[in-house]
Amino acid sequence: MSPVQRTSLQLYRDCMRLIRHIAPGHSPKSMALKSMVRTEFMKSVEEKDEAKIEVLKAGAIRALSNYMLYESGAKDEKLRGAMKRQSDDAVGQISGGRDESAVAA
């Protein structure tokens, strides 16, 4: 089963398991994350359009993946360096693009 083919309930449970992993117990961080996940899922509970549901699920999966990558980068020196270089390059491209458009205007 591909990640996007997971049911909404499976995805919700995955999010809650991840929260238990990253913020165990009843810490303020844990409570805030659970509340945020619950709120985001409840906003779309009445959604019936299959295409929209797939987009929402893909966004949730992307957010989970990004968070796991971020957490892994904090623990792995080599990955942290690669992520910093990637981030610096992206910021440089954005800054460069803005400067060029300002000059053109």
Coordinates of all heavy atoms in Angstrom, one line a residue:
M1 N 0.8 -1.2 0.0 CA 0.0 0.0 0.0 C 0.9 1.2 0.0 O 1.8 1.4 0.9 CB -0.9 0.0 1.3 CG -1.8 1.2 1.4 SD -2.8 1.2 2.9 CE -3.6 -0.3 2.9
S2 N 0.7 2.1 -1.0 CA 1.5 3.3 -1.0 C 1.0 4.3 0.1 O -0.1 4.1 0.6 CB 1.4 4.0 -2.3 OG 0.2 4.8 -2.4
P3 N 1.9 5.2 0.6 CA 1.5 6.0 1.7 C 0.2 6.8 1.5 O -0.6 7.0 2.4 CB 2.6 7.0 1.8 CG 3.8 6.3 1.2 CD 3.2 5.4 0.1
V4 N -0.1 7.3 0.2 CA -1.3 8.0 0.0 C -2.5 7.1 0.0 O -3.6 7.6 0.2 CB -1.2 8.8 -1.4 CG1 -2.4 9.6 -1.7 CG2 0.0 9.7 -1.3
Q5 N -2.4 5.8 -0.2 CA -3.5 4.9 -0.2 C -4.0 4.6 1.2 O -5.0 3.9 1.4 CB -3.2 3.6 -1.0 CG -3.0 3.9 -2.4 CD -2.6 2.6 -3.2 OE1 -2.0 1.7 -2.6 NE2 -2.9 2.5 -4.4
R6 N -3.3 5.1 2.2 CA -3.7 4.8 3.6 C -5.0 5.5 3.8 O -5.3 6.6 3.3 CB -2.6 5.3 4.6 CG -1.3 4.6 4.4 CD -0.3 5.0 5.4 NE -0.6 4.7 6.8 CZ -0.5 3.5 7.3 NH1 -0.1 2.5 6.5 NH2 -0.8 3.2 8.5
T7 N -5.8 4.9 4.7 CA -7.1 5.5 5.0 C -6.8 6.7 5.9 O -5.8 6.9 6.5 CB -8.0 4.6 5.7 OG1 -7.5 4.3 7.0 CG2 -8.3 3.3 4.9
S8 N -7.8 7.6 6.0 CA -7.7 8.8 6.8 C -7.5 8.4 8.3 O -6.7 9.0 9.0 CB -8.9 9.7 6.7 OG -9.0 10.1 5.4
L9 N -8.2 7.3 8.7 CA -8.1 6.8 10.1 C -6.7 6.3 10.3 O -6.1 6.6 11.4 CB -9.1 5.8 10.4 CG -9.1 5.2 11.8 CD1 -9.3 6.3 12.8 CD2 -10.2 4.1 11.9
Q10 N -6.1 5.6 9.4 CA -4.7 5.1 9.5 C -3.7 6.2 9.6 O -2.8 6.2 10.4 CB -4.3 4.2 8.4 CG -5.0 2.8 8.4 CD -4.8 2.1 7.1 OE1 -4.7 2.7 6.0 NE2 -4.7 0.7 7.2
L11 N -3.9 7.2 8.8 CA -3.1 8.4 8.8 C -3.2 9.2 10.2 O -2.2 9.6 10.7 CB -3.4 9.3 7.7 CG -2.5 10.5 7.4 CD1 -1.1 10.0 7.2 CD2 -3.0 11.2 6.1
Y12 N -4.4 9.3 10.7 CA -4.6 10.0 12.0 C -3.9 9.2 13.1 O -3.2 9.8 13.9 CB -6.1 10.0 12.2 CG -6.5 10.7 13.6 CD1 -6.4 12.1 13.7 CD2 -6.8 9.9 14.7 CE1 -6.8 12.7 14.9 CE2 -7.1 10.5 15.9 CZ -7.1 11.9 16.0 OH -7.4 12.5 17.2
R13 N -4.0 7.9 13.0 CA -3.3 7.1 14.0 C -1.8 7.2 13.9 O -1.1 7.2 14.9 CB -3.8 5.6 13.9 CG -5.2 5.4 14.4 CD -5.6 4.0 14.2 NE -6.9 3.8 14.7 CZ -7.7 2.7 14.4 NH1 -7.2 1.8 13.5 NH2 -8.9 2.6 14.8
D14 N -1.3 7.2 12.7 CA 0.1 7.4 12.5 C 0.6 8.7 13.1 O 1.7 8.8 13.7 CB 0.5 7.4 11.0 CG 0.4 6.0 10.4 OD1 0.3 5.0 11.2 OD2 0.4 5.9 9.2
C15 N -0.2 9.8 12.9 CA 0.2 11.1 13.5 C 0.2 11.0 15.0 O 1.1 11.6 15.6 CB -0.9 12.1 13.0 SG -0.8 12.6 11.3
M16 N -0.8 10.4 15.6 CA -0.8 10.3 17.0 C 0.3 9.4 17.6 O 0.9 9.8 18.6 CB -2.2 9.7 17.5 CG -3.3 10.7 17.3 SD -3.0 12.2 18.2 CE -4.5 13.2 17.8
R17 N 0.7 8.4 16.9 CA 1.8 7.6 17.3 C 3.1 8.4 17.2 O 4.0 8.3 18.1 CB 2.0 6.3 16.4 CG 1.0 5.2 16.7 CD 1.3 4.0 15.9 NE 0.1 3.2 15.9 CZ -0.7 3.0 14.9 NH1 -0.4 3.6 13.7 NH2 -1.8 2.3 15.0
L18 N 3.3 9.2 16.2 CA 4.4 10.0 16.0 C 4.5 11.0 17.2 O 5.6 11.2 17.7 CB 4.4 10.7 14.7 CG 5.6 11.7 14.5 CD1 6.9 10.9 14.4 CD2 5.4 12.4 13.2
I19 N 3.4 11.6 17.6 CA 3.4 12.5 18.7 C 3.8 11.8 20.0 O 4.6 12.3 20.7 CB 2.0 13.1 18.9 CG1 1.7 14.1 17.7 CG2 1.9 13.9 20.2 CD1 0.3 14.5 17.6
R20 N 3.3 10.6 20.2 CA 3.8 9.8 21.4 C 5.3 9.6 21.3 O 5.9 9.5 22.4 CB 3.0 8.5 21.5 CG 1.6 8.6 22.0 CD 1.1 7.3 22.5 NE 1.2 6.2 21.5 CZ 0.2 5.8 20.7 NH1 -1.0 6.4 20.8 NH2 0.4 4.9 19.8
H21 N 5.8 9.4 20.1 CA 7.3 9.2 20.0 C 8.1 10.5 20.3 O 9.1 10.4 20.9 CB 7.6 8.7 18.6 CG 9.0 8.5 18.3 ND1 9.8 7.5 18.9 CD2 9.8 9.2 17.5 CE1 11.0 7.6 18.4 NE2 11.1 8.6 17.6
I22 N 7.6 11.6 19.7 CA 8.4 12.8 19.8 C 8.1 13.6 21.1 O 9.0 14.4 21.5 CB 8.3 13.7 18.6 CG1 6.8 14.2 18.4 CG2 8.8 13.0 17.4 CD1 6.6 15.1 17.3
A23 N 7.0 13.4 21.7 CA 6.6 14.1 22.9 C 5.8 13.2 23.8 O 4.6 13.3 23.9 CB 5.8 15.4 22.6
P24 N 6.6 12.3 24.5 CA 5.9 11.3 25.3 C 5.2 12.0 26.5 O 5.5 13.0 27.0 CB 7.0 10.4 25.8 CG 8.2 11.1 25.6 CD 8.0 12.1 24.5
G25 N 4.1 11.3 27.0 CA 3.4 11.7 28.2 C 2.4 12.8 27.9 O 1.9 12.9 26.8
H26 N 2.2 13.6 28.9 CA 1.2 14.7 28.8 C 1.9 16.1 29.0 O 1.5 17.0 29.6 CB 0.2 14.6 29.9 CG -0.6 13.3 29.8 ND1 -1.6 13.2 28.8 CD2 -0.6 12.2 30.5 CE1 -2.1 12.0 28.9 NE2 -1.6 11.3 29.9
S27 N 3.0 16.2 28.3 CA 3.8 17.5 28.3 C 3.0 18.5 27.5 O 2.1 18.2 26.7 CB 5.2 17.3 27.6 OG 5.0 17.0 26.3
P28 N 3.3 19.8 27.7 CA 2.6 20.8 26.9 C 2.9 20.7 25.4 O 1.9 20.9 24.6 CB 3.3 22.1 27.4 CG 3.8 21.8 28.8 CD 4.1 20.4 28.8
K29 N 4.0 20.2 25.0 CA 4.3 20.0 23.6 C 3.4 18.9 23.1 O 2.8 19.0 22.0 CB 5.8 19.6 23.4 CG 6.2 19.4 22.0 CD 7.7 19.0 21.9 CE 8.1 18.8 20.4 NZ 9.5 18.4 20.3
S30 N 3.3 17.8 23.8 CA 2.4 16.7 23.4 C 1.0 17.1 23.3 O 0.3 16.8 22.3 CB 2.5 15.6 24.4 OG 1.6 14.6 24.2
M31 N 0.5 17.8 24.2 CA -0.9 18.3 24.2 C -1.2 19.2 23.0 O -2.2 19.2 22.4 CB -1.3 19.0 25.5 CG -1.1 18.0 26.8 SD -2.0 16.5 26.6 CE -3.6 17.0 27.0
A32 N -0.2 20.1 22.8 CA -0.4 21.1 21.7 C -0.4 20.4 20.3 O -1.2 20.7 19.5 CB 0.8 22.1 21.7
L33 N 0.6 19.4 20.2 CA 0.6 18.7 18.9 C -0.7 17.8 18.7 O -1.2 17.8 17.6 CB 1.8 17.8 18.9 CG 3.2 18.5 18.7 CD1 4.3 17.5 19.0 CD2 3.3 19.1 17.3
K34 N -1.1 17.2 19.7 CA -2.4 16.4 19.6 C -3.5 17.3 19.2 O -4.4 16.9 18.4 CB -2.7 15.7 20.9 CG -1.8 14.5 21.2 CD -2.1 13.8 22.5 CE -1.1 12.7 22.8 NZ -1.3 12.1 24.1
S35 N -3.6 18.4 19.9 CA -4.7 19.4 19.6 C -4.6 19.8 18.1 O -5.7 19.9 17.5 CB -4.6 20.6 20.6 OG -5.6 21.5 20.2
M36 N -3.4 20.1 17.7 CA -3.2 20.6 16.3 C -3.7 19.5 15.3 O -4.4 19.8 14.3 CB -1.8 21.0 16.0 CG -1.5 21.6 14.7 SD 0.2 22.0 14.3 CE 0.9 20.4 14.4
V37 N -3.2 18.3 15.5 CA -3.6 17.2 14.6 C -5.1 17.0 14.6 O -5.7 16.9 13.6 CB -2.8 15.9 15.0 CG1 -3.4 14.7 14.3 CG2 -1.3 16.1 14.6
R38 N -5.7 16.9 15.8 CA -7.1 16.7 15.9 C -7.9 17.8 15.2 O -8.8 17.6 14.4 CB -7.5 16.7 17.4 CG -8.6 15.8 17.8 CD -8.8 15.7 19.3 NE -7.9 14.8 19.9 CZ -7.0 15.1 20.8 NH1 -6.9 16.3 21.3 NH2 -6.3 14.1 21.3
T39 N -7.5 19.1 15.4 CA -8.1 20.2 14.7 C -8.0 20.1 13.2 O -9.0 20.3 12.5 CB -7.5 21.5 15.2 OG1 -7.6 21.6 16.6 CG2 -8.1 22.7 14.5
E40 N -6.8 19.8 12.7 CA -6.7 19.7 11.3 C -7.5 18.6 10.7 O -8.1 18.7 9.6 CB -5.2 19.5 10.9 CG -4.3 20.7 11.1 CD -4.8 21.9 10.3 OE1 -5.1 21.8 9.1 OE2 -4.9 23.0 11.0
F41 N -7.6 17.4 11.3 CA -8.4 16.4 10.8 C -9.9 16.7 10.9 O -10.7 16.4 10.0 CB -8.1 15.0 11.5 CG -7.0 14.3 10.9 CD1 -5.7 14.6 11.2 CD2 -7.2 13.3 10.0 CE1 -4.6 13.9 10.6 CE2 -6.2 12.6 9.4 CZ -4.9 12.9 9.7
M42 N -10.3 17.4 12.0 CA -11.7 17.7 12.2 C -12.2 18.7 11.2 O -13.4 18.8 10.8 CB -12.0 18.2 13.6 CG -11.8 17.1 14.7 SD -12.8 15.6 14.3 CE -14.5 16.2 14.6
K43 N -11.3 19.6 10.7 CA -11.7 20.6 9.7 C -12.1 20.0 8.4 O -12.9 20.5 7.7 CB -10.5 21.5 9.4 CG -10.2 22.6 10.5 CD -9.3 23.7 10.1 CE -8.0 23.3 9.5 NZ -7.1 24.4 9.3
S44 N -11.6 18.8 8.2 CA -11.9 18.1 6.9 C -12.8 16.9 7.1 O -13.0 16.1 6.1 CB -10.6 17.7 6.2 OG -9.8 18.8 6.1
V45 N -13.4 16.7 8.2 CA -14.1 15.4 8.5 C -15.4 15.3 7.6 O -15.8 14.2 7.2 CB -14.5 15.3 10.0 CG1 -15.7 16.3 10.3 CG2 -14.9 13.9 10.3
E46 N -15.9 16.4 7.2 CA -17.1 16.4 6.3 C -16.8 16.3 4.8 O -17.7 16.3 4.0 CB -18.0 17.6 6.6 CG -18.6 17.6 8.0 CD -19.5 16.5 8.3 OE1 -20.3 16.1 7.4 OE2 -19.5 16.0 9.5
E47 N -15.5 16.4 4.5 CA -15.1 16.4 3.0 C -15.5 15.1 2.3 O -15.3 14.0 2.8 CB -13.6 16.6 3.0 CG -13.1 16.8 1.6 CD -13.6 18.0 0.9 OE1 -13.5 19.1 1.5 OE2 -14.2 17.9 -0.2
K48 N -16.2 15.2 1.2 CA -16.6 14.0 0.5 C -15.9 13.9 -0.9 O -15.9 12.8 -1.5 CB -18.2 14.2 0.2 CG -19.0 14.3 1.4 CD -19.0 13.0 2.2 CE -19.9 13.1 3.4 NZ -19.4 12.5 4.6
D49 N -15.3 14.9 -1.4 CA -14.6 14.9 -2.7 C -13.3 14.1 -2.5 O -12.4 14.4 -1.8 CB -14.3 16.3 -3.1 CG -13.6 16.4 -4.4 OD1 -13.6 15.4 -5.2 OD2 -13.0 17.5 -4.8
E50 N -13.3 12.9 -3.3 CA -12.2 12.0 -3.2 C -10.8 12.7 -3.5 O -9.8 12.5 -2.9 CB -12.4 10.8 -4.0 CG -13.5 9.9 -3.5 CD -13.1 9.2 -2.2 OE1 -11.9 8.9 -2.0 OE2 -14.0 9.1 -1.4
A51 N -10.9 13.5 -4.6 CA -9.6 14.2 -5.0 C -9.1 15.1 -3.9 O -7.9 15.2 -3.6 CB -9.9 15.0 -6.3
K52 N -10.0 15.9 -3.3 CA -9.6 16.8 -2.2 C -9.1 16.0 -1.0 O -8.1 16.4 -0.4 CB -10.8 17.6 -1.8 CG -10.6 18.5 -0.6 CD -9.8 19.7 -1.0 CE -9.7 20.7 0.2 NZ -8.8 21.7 0.0
I53 N -9.7 14.9 -0.7 CA -9.2 14.0 0.4 C -7.8 13.5 0.1 O -7.0 13.5 1.0 CB -10.2 12.8 0.6 CG1 -11.5 13.4 1.2 CG2 -9.6 11.8 1.6 CD1 -12.7 12.4 1.3
E54 N -7.6 13.1 -1.1 CA -6.2 12.6 -1.5 C -5.2 13.7 -1.3 O -4.1 13.5 -0.9 CB -6.2 12.0 -2.9 CG -7.0 10.7 -3.0 CD -6.4 9.6 -2.0 OE1 -5.2 9.4 -2.0 OE2 -7.3 9.0 -1.4
V55 N -5.6 15.0 -1.7 CA -4.6 16.1 -1.6 C -4.4 16.4 -0.1 O -3.2 16.6 0.3 CB -5.2 17.4 -2.2 CG1 -4.5 18.6 -1.9 CG2 -5.3 17.2 -3.7
L56 N -5.4 16.3 0.7 CA -5.2 16.5 2.2 C -4.3 15.4 2.8 O -3.4 15.7 3.6 CB -6.6 16.6 2.9 CG -7.5 17.8 2.6 CD1 -8.9 17.5 3.1 CD2 -6.9 19.0 3.2
K57 N -4.6 14.2 2.4 CA -3.8 13.1 2.9 C -2.3 13.2 2.5 O -1.4 13.0 3.3 CB -4.3 11.7 2.5 CG -5.6 11.4 3.2 CD -6.4 10.2 2.8 CE -5.8 9.1 2.1 NZ -6.7 8.0 1.7
A58 N -2.1 13.6 1.2 CA -0.7 13.8 0.7 C 0.0 14.9 1.5 O 1.2 14.7 1.8 CB -0.7 14.1 -0.8
G59 N -0.7 15.9 1.8 CA -0.1 17.0 2.6 C 0.2 16.6 4.0 O 1.3 16.9 4.5
A60 N -0.6 15.8 4.6 CA -0.3 15.2 6.0 C 0.9 14.3 5.9 O 1.8 14.4 6.8 CB -1.5 14.5 6.5
I61 N 1.0 13.5 4.9 CA 2.1 12.6 4.8 C 3.4 13.4 4.6 O 4.4 13.1 5.1 CB 1.9 11.6 3.6 CG1 0.8 10.6 4.1 CG2 3.1 10.8 3.3 CD1 0.2 9.8 2.9
R62 N 3.3 14.4 3.7 CA 4.5 15.2 3.5 C 4.9 15.9 4.8 O 6.1 16.0 5.1 CB 4.1 16.3 2.4 CG 5.3 17.0 1.9 CD 5.0 17.9 0.6 NE 3.7 18.5 0.6 CZ 2.6 18.0 -0.1 NH1 2.7 17.0 -0.8 NH2 1.5 18.7 -0.1
A63 N 4.0 16.4 5.6 CA 4.3 17.0 6.8 C 5.0 16.1 7.8 O 6.0 16.4 8.4 CB 3.1 17.6 7.5
L64 N 4.5 14.8 7.9 CA 5.1 13.8 8.7 C 6.5 13.5 8.2 O 7.4 13.4 9.0 CB 4.3 12.5 8.7 CG 3.0 12.6 9.5 CD1 2.2 11.3 9.2 CD2 3.2 12.7 11.0
S65 N 6.7 13.3 6.9 CA 8.0 13.0 6.4 C 9.0 14.2 6.6 O 10.1 13.9 7.0 CB 7.9 12.8 4.9 OG 7.0 11.7 4.6
N66 N 8.5 15.4 6.4 CA 9.4 16.5 6.7 C 9.8 16.6 8.1 O 11.0 16.9 8.4 CB 8.7 17.8 6.3 CG 8.6 18.0 4.8 OD1 9.3 17.3 4.0 ND2 7.8 18.9 4.3
Y67 N 8.9 16.3 9.0 CA 9.2 16.4 10.4 C 10.2 15.3 10.8 O 11.2 15.6 11.5 CB 8.0 16.3 11.3 CG 8.3 16.5 12.8 CD1 8.5 17.8 13.3 CD2 8.6 15.4 13.6 CE1 8.9 18.0 14.6 CE2 9.0 15.6 14.9 CZ 9.1 16.9 15.4 OH 9.5 17.1 16.7
M68 N 10.0 14.1 10.3 CA 10.9 13.0 10.6 C 12.3 13.3 10.0 O 13.3 13.1 10.7 CB 10.4 11.7 10.0 CG 9.1 11.2 10.7 SD 9.3 11.0 12.5 CE 10.4 9.6 12.6
L69 N 12.4 13.9 8.8 CA 13.7 14.3 8.3 C 14.3 15.4 9.1 O 15.5 15.3 9.4 CB 13.5 14.8 6.8 CG 14.8 15.2 6.1 CD1 15.7 14.0 5.9 CD2 14.4 15.8 4.8
Y70 N 13.6 16.3 9.6 CA 14.1 17.4 10.4 C 14.7 16.8 11.7 O 15.7 17.2 12.1 CB 13.0 18.4 10.7 CG 13.4 19.5 11.7 CD1 14.1 20.5 11.3 CD2 12.9 19.4 13.0 CE1 14.5 21.5 12.2 CE2 13.3 20.3 13.9 CZ 14.1 21.4 13.5 OH 14.4 22.4 14.4
E71 N 13.9 15.9 12.3 CA 14.4 15.3 13.6 C 15.6 14.5 13.4 O 16.5 14.5 14.2 CB 13.3 14.5 14.2 CG 12.2 15.3 14.9 CD 12.7 16.0 16.1 OE1 13.4 15.4 17.0 OE2 12.5 17.3 16.2
S72 N 15.7 13.8 12.3 CA 16.8 13.0 11.9 C 18.1 13.9 11.7 O 19.2 13.5 12.1 CB 16.6 12.1 10.7 OG 15.6 11.2 10.9
G73 N 17.8 15.0 11.1 CA 18.9 15.9 10.8 C 19.5 16.5 12.1 O 20.7 16.8 12.1
A74 N 18.7 16.6 13.1 CA 19.2 17.2 14.3 C 20.1 16.2 15.0 O 21.0 16.6 15.8 CB 18.0 17.5 15.3
K75 N 20.0 14.9 14.7 CA 20.8 13.9 15.4 C 22.0 13.4 14.6 O 22.9 12.9 15.1 CB 19.9 12.7 15.7 CG 18.8 13.0 16.7 CD 17.9 11.9 16.9 CE 16.7 12.3 17.8 NZ 15.7 11.4 17.8
D76 N 22.0 13.7 13.3 CA 23.0 13.2 12.4 C 23.8 14.4 11.8 O 23.2 15.2 11.1 CB 22.3 12.4 11.2 CG 23.3 11.8 10.3 OD1 24.5 12.2 10.3 OD2 22.9 10.9 9.5
E77 N 25.0 14.5 12.2 CA 25.9 15.6 11.8 C 26.0 15.8 10.3 O 25.9 16.9 9.7 CB 27.3 15.4 12.4 CG 28.2 16.7 12.2 CD 27.7 17.8 13.1 OE1 27.2 17.6 14.2 OE2 27.8 19.0 12.6
K78 N 26.2 14.7 9.5 CA 26.3 14.7 8.1 C 25.0 15.2 7.4 O 25.0 16.1 6.6 CB 26.7 13.4 7.5 CG 27.0 13.3 6.1 CD 27.6 12.0 5.7 CE 27.9 11.9 4.2 NZ 28.4 10.6 3.9
L79 N 23.9 14.7 7.9 CA 22.6 15.1 7.4 C 22.3 16.5 7.7 O 21.7 17.3 6.9 CB 21.5 14.1 7.9 CG 20.1 14.4 7.4 CD1 20.0 14.3 5.8 CD2 19.1 13.4 8.0
R80 N 22.6 16.9 8.9 CA 22.4 18.3 9.3 C 23.1 19.3 8.4 O 22.6 20.3 8.0 CB 22.8 18.5 10.8 CG 22.5 19.9 11.3 CD 22.9 20.1 12.7 NE 23.7 19.0 13.2 CZ 23.8 18.7 14.5 NH1 23.3 19.5 15.4 NH2 24.5 17.7 14.9
G81 N 24.4 18.9 8.1 CA 25.2 19.8 7.2 C 24.6 19.8 5.8 O 24.5 20.9 5.2
A82 N 24.1 18.7 5.3 CA 23.5 18.7 3.9 C 22.2 19.5 3.9 O 21.9 20.3 3.0 CB 23.2 17.3 3.5
M83 N 21.4 19.4 5.0 CA 20.2 20.2 5.1 C 20.5 21.7 5.2 O 19.8 22.5 4.6 CB 19.3 19.7 6.3 CG 18.7 18.4 6.1 SD 18.0 17.6 7.6 CE 16.8 18.9 8.1
K84 N 21.5 22.0 5.9 CA 21.9 23.5 6.0 C 22.3 24.0 4.7 O 21.9 25.1 4.3 CB 23.0 23.6 7.1 CG 23.5 25.1 7.1 CD 23.9 25.5 8.5 CE 24.4 26.9 8.6 NZ 23.7 27.9 7.9
R85 N 23.1 23.2 3.9 CA 23.5 23.7 2.6 C 22.3 23.8 1.7 O 22.2 24.8 1.0 CB 24.5 22.7 2.0 CG 25.9 22.8 2.6 CD 26.9 22.0 1.8 NE 26.6 20.6 1.8 CZ 26.9 19.7 2.7 NH1 27.5 20.1 3.8 NH2 26.5 18.4 2.6
Q86 N 21.4 22.9 1.7 CA 20.2 23.0 0.9 C 19.4 24.2 1.2 O 18.9 24.9 0.3 CB 19.4 21.7 1.0 CG 18.1 21.7 0.2 CD 18.4 21.5 -1.2 OE1 19.4 21.0 -1.7 NE2 17.5 22.0 -2.0
S87 N 19.2 24.4 2.5 CA 18.5 25.6 3.0 C 19.1 26.9 2.5 O 18.5 27.8 2.1 CB 18.3 25.5 4.5 OG 17.7 26.7 4.9
D88 N 20.5 27.0 2.7 CA 21.2 28.2 2.3 C 21.1 28.4 0.8 O 20.9 29.6 0.4 CB 22.7 28.1 2.8 CG 22.9 28.1 4.3 OD1 21.9 28.5 5.0 OD2 24.0 27.7 4.7
D89 N 21.2 27.4 0.1 CA 21.1 27.5 -1.4 C 19.7 28.0 -1.8 O 19.5 28.9 -2.6 CB 21.3 26.2 -2.1 CG 22.8 25.7 -2.0 OD1 23.6 26.6 -1.7 OD2 23.0 24.6 -2.4
A90 N 18.6 27.5 -1.1 CA 17.3 27.9 -1.4 C 17.1 29.3 -1.1 O 16.4 30.1 -1.8 CB 16.3 27.0 -0.7
V91 N 17.6 29.7 0.1 CA 17.4 31.1 0.5 C 18.2 32.0 -0.4 O 17.7 33.1 -0.8 CB 17.9 31.3 2.0 CG1 18.0 32.8 2.3 CG2 17.0 30.6 2.9
G92 N 19.3 31.6 -0.9 CA 20.1 32.4 -1.8 C 19.4 32.6 -3.2 O 19.4 33.7 -3.7
Q93 N 18.7 31.5 -3.6 CA 18.0 31.6 -4.9 C 16.8 32.5 -4.7 O 16.5 33.3 -5.6 CB 17.5 30.2 -5.3 CG 18.6 29.3 -5.8 CD 18.2 27.9 -6.1 OE1 17.0 27.6 -5.9 NE2 19.1 27.1 -6.6
I94 N 16.1 32.5 -3.6 CA 15.0 33.3 -3.4 C 15.4 34.8 -3.3 O 14.8 35.7 -3.9 CB 14.2 32.9 -2.1 CG1 13.5 31.6 -2.3 CG2 13.2 34.0 -1.7 CD1 12.9 30.9 -1.1
S95 N 16.5 35.0 -2.5 CA 17.0 36.4 -2.4 C 17.5 36.9 -3.7 O 17.2 38.1 -4.1 CB 18.1 36.4 -1.4 OG 17.7 36.0 -0.1
G96 N 18.1 36.1 -4.5 CA 18.6 36.5 -5.8 C 17.4 36.8 -6.7 O 17.5 37.7 -7.5
G97 N 16.4 36.0 -6.7 CA 15.2 36.2 -7.5 C 14.5 37.5 -7.2 O 14.1 38.2 -8.0
R98 N 14.4 37.9 -5.9 CA 13.8 39.1 -5.5 C 14.6 40.3 -5.9 O 14.1 41.3 -6.4 CB 13.6 39.1 -4.0 CG 12.5 38.2 -3.5 CD 12.3 38.4 -2.0 NE 11.3 37.4 -1.6 CZ 11.2 37.0 -0.4 NH1 12.0 37.5 0.6 NH2 10.3 36.1 -0.1
D99 N 15.9 40.2 -5.8 CA 16.8 41.3 -6.2 C 16.6 41.6 -7.7 O 16.6 42.7 -8.1 CB 18.2 41.1 -5.8 CG 18.4 41.1 -4.3 OD1 17.6 41.6 -3.6 OD2 19.4 40.5 -3.9
E100 N 16.6 40.5 -8.5 CA 16.5 40.7 -9.9 C 15.2 41.3 -10.3 O 15.1 42.2 -11.2 CB 16.7 39.3 -10.6 CG 18.1 38.8 -10.5 CD 18.2 37.3 -11.0 OE1 17.2 36.8 -11.6 OE2 19.2 36.7 -10.9
S101 N 14.1 40.9 -9.7 CA 12.8 41.4 -10.0 C 12.7 42.8 -9.6 O 12.0 43.6 -10.3 CB 11.7 40.5 -9.4 OG 11.8 40.6 -8.0
A102 N 13.3 43.2 -8.5 CA 13.3 44.6 -8.1 C 14.0 45.5 -9.0 O 13.6 46.6 -9.3 CB 13.9 44.7 -6.7
V103 N 15.1 45.0 -9.6 CA 15.9 45.7 -10.6 C 15.1 45.9 -11.8 O 15.1 47.0 -12.5 CB 17.3 45.1 -10.8 CG1 18.0 45.7 -12.0 CG2 18.1 45.1 -9.6
A104 N 14.4 44.8 -12.3 CA 13.6 44.9 -13.5 C 12.5 45.9 -13.4 O 12.0 46.4 -14.4 CB 13.1 43.5 -13.9
A105 N 11.9 46.0 -12.2 CA 10.8 46.9 -12.0 C 11.2 48.3 -12.1 O 11.2 49.2 -12.7 CB 10.1 46.7 -10.7

